Amino acid sequence: MLLQARQISKRYPGVQALDAVDFKLEAGQIHAVVGENGAGKSTLMKILGGIVRADSGEVLLDGAEVRFDGPLEAQRAGIALIHQELNLIPDLTVAQNIFFGREPRKGARIDDAAMAERSEQILRRVGLNIDPTTPLGILTVAARQMVEIAKALSMDARVLIMDEPTAALSSHEVEQLFDLTREFIAGDHAPGQERAVVYISHRLDEIQELCTHVSVLRDGKNVSTHPAEDLSRDDMISLMVGRAIDTSHRPESTPEEAYGFEVRDLNAGMVKDLSFAVKKGEIFGLGGLVGAGRTEAARAIVGADPKESGTVVVGGQQVRTRTVEEAALAGIGYLSEDRKHDGLLLEQSITQNVALPSLALWANAGGVVDDDEAEEIADESVYKLGIVTPSVDQQAKNLSGGNQQKVVIAKWVARDCDVLIFDEPTRGVDVGAKDEIYHLMEELAAAGKTIIVISSEIAELLRVCHRIGVMCQGVLTGVLTNAEATSENIMDLATRFDVVRQS
């Protein structure tokens, strides 16, 4: 047995994250760990990776018990972890992030040239063609995720733990990662050098394609372990959430005739002459490959980034959106794809996060917000969105990634905006929570809200959107009705590079 966890328990304030969990990883396996948000998956991985100490239980490597006083000790033992929430330093270069704490040296000094050369080699291996001396902070979320993967591969680990590694990646980049994962496992390794992968993902299709075994956690406890070939997608869902979920649904409601939102001739950085209109009660998708300009367009629309030109119209009236505050006052809410840095105040409570966009609206004449009212609205949000927490006083940093995402959604729903832009709304969210978020979007649309969904998952766009606009290199290459939309049609528009060059 390469790696084993026995009777692992861990408790956080008000939450039993793990309750006597067992886990076995054999050499050659690509072993998936699945479960709803809050099931304990990430906590178990952090314990195996030396980031968190278990309250009780033991971890064995090659049959011998190990105790890690930090992730560096785990890395030296051969265990590398790719984090769900990117564990990188924006102010350092790509190369400095890849080799942080393990920098090659020439005498007493760091050998920057050697570090850059080795980084360039590993970056090419993951298909990332960037200068390793580039500051990490200027990269997209997807590019940062590939740097995180490069960092883990550079450690020459025996056990590679991947926690939601594809959440920000395009379908092409996902296939690239799968090839790297299989390459990592393959080959005749010498005794004591055998390898295995632990893979966490809410994308069940990926698990069926890549993984050899599946272990299911629910509420911090073991449910079962099976060969992946023995479990259908529906089997996994049933084990994870304890109920059936319809994954074949397509939107049926008809939006109103009136337009709730329009963008006219938007130019901002790579985004060129973008125009589209969305009706009240409509869910409009923006698809495309990573780097197509979807997030850049959304950030320019709401004033998070400057726009060079263009007009934004809400309810037939032109509005000013030079800042996020102006956009919110105009009735536009933006749910950022990067919840950790742009979406939440991690040190603040659920109540404080939910209330943040609405403080100006909820304050009385003296500028004081009624705490009881704010707490009541936060309680409603917790109930409606199924946020797993002991109370609304819990700090956001203590929630699982998926529950943090629900808090981001809750704060803009509480703000009662007429237009809601959801940027990767289910990133890192389990299949049960996804279904809840989809139903919430449908309820908001049925109430007359205008919804825009940016997603890298074609299946998600097909599931919720009435129409889907597709972008390629900053240009809108086409708009499809849901009836017209297929994976093939969307990918055709997403790769219309010749049309982009001609335009």
Side-chain angles (χ1 to χ4, degrees), residues 314-346:
V314 176
Q317 300 294 317
Q318 184 174 333
V319 296
R320 294 172 64 173
T321 59
R322 295 172 304 175
T323 65
V324 174
E325 291 79 11
E326 282 189 350
L329 287 171
I332 306 171
Y334 174 56
L335 291 78
S336 166
E337 68 170 337
D338 191 347
R339 62 175 173 256
K340 187 174 181 181
H341 294 98
D342 299 331
L344 292 171
L345 299 175
L346 294 173

Side-chain angles (χ1 to χ4, degrees), residues 255-262 277-282 315-316 448-450:
E256 299 179 22
E257 289 302 316
Y259 284 102
F261 179 75
E262 295 178 69
V278 189
K279 295 177 179 179
K280 292 181 180 179
E282 183 178 19
K449 304 295 186 186
T450 300

Side-chain angles (χ1 to χ4, degrees), residues 30-164:
I30 304 177
H31 197 132
V33 178
V34 301
E36 292 191 273
N37 294 118
K41 308 181 299 298
S42 293
T43 299
L44 178 60
M45 296 308 111
K46 288 176 181 177
I47 290 170
L48 296 177
I51 297 169
V52 170
R53 277 280 187 93
D55 296 334
S56 60
E58 58 183 1
V59 176
L60 292 84
L61 186 63
D62 292 322
E65 185 176 0
V66 290
R67 293 180 180 273
F68 302 130
D69 288 327
L72 280 177
E73 285 195 9
Q75 290 166 16
R76 293 187 187 110
I79 301 173
L81 174 58
I82 297 172
H83 295 263
Q84 176 183 0
E85 300 293 350
L86 301 181
N87 193 35
L88 301 170
I89 304 170
D91 292 333
L92 297 183
T93 68
V94 169
Q96 288 168 334
N97 271 283
I98 290 174
F99 285 97
F100 187 77
R102 305 175 295 117
E103 298 87 350
R105 293 185 175 272
K106 183 183 290 184
R109 302 182 64 181
I110 293 174
D111 189 340
D112 290 316
M115 186 164 63
E117 182 180 352
R118 293 183 197 176
S119 297
E120 191 170 6
Q121 291 171 356
I122 194 72
L123 289 169
R124 279 201 301 267
R125 191 174 164 199
V126 302
L128 199 57
N129 185 26
I130 59 173
D131 185 338
T133 62
T134 302
L136 184 97
I138 70 172
L139 301 182
T140 65
V141 172
R144 293 184 203 183
Q145 182 68 72
M146 295 305 285
V147 172
E148 182 83 73
I149 293 165
K151 177 181 177 180
L153 291 175
S154 74
M155 296 175 188
D156 197 27
R158 295 180 59 206
V159 176
L160 189 57
I161 301 173
M162 300 181 170
D163 192 352
E164 295 289 348

Side-chain angles (χ1 to χ4, degrees), residues 243-319:
R243 68 185 190 277
I245 291 176
D246 181 8
T247 58
S248 62
H249 175 87
R250 300 284 282 262
E252 298 174 357
S253 61
T254 303
E256 299 179 22
E257 289 302 316
Y259 284 102
F261 179 75
E262 295 178 69
V263 173
R264 300 172 183 165
D265 302 319
L266 176 69
N267 288 276
M270 72 175 298
V271 179
K272 303 300 181 187
D273 300 321
L274 177 65
S275 297
F276 64 91
V278 189
K279 295 177 179 179
K280 292 181 180 179
E282 183 178 19
I283 303 176
F284 182 85
L286 273 180
L289 302 177
V290 171
R294 299 162 302 163
T295 293
E296 290 82 354
R299 290 179 60 85
I301 287 168
V302 300
D305 292 332
K307 59 177 80 64
E308 297 156 20
S309 62
T311 304
V312 177
V313 178
V314 176
Q317 300 294 317
Q318 184 174 333
V319 296

Side-chain angles (χ1 to χ4, degrees), residues 458-478:
I458 291 177
E460 181 162 272
L461 296 172
L462 295 173
R463 163 66 178 80
V464 297
C465 298
H466 297 96
R467 291 184 301 139
I468 301 168
V470 185
M471 295 183 67
C472 179
Q473 293 187 351
V475 174
L476 187 68
T477 51

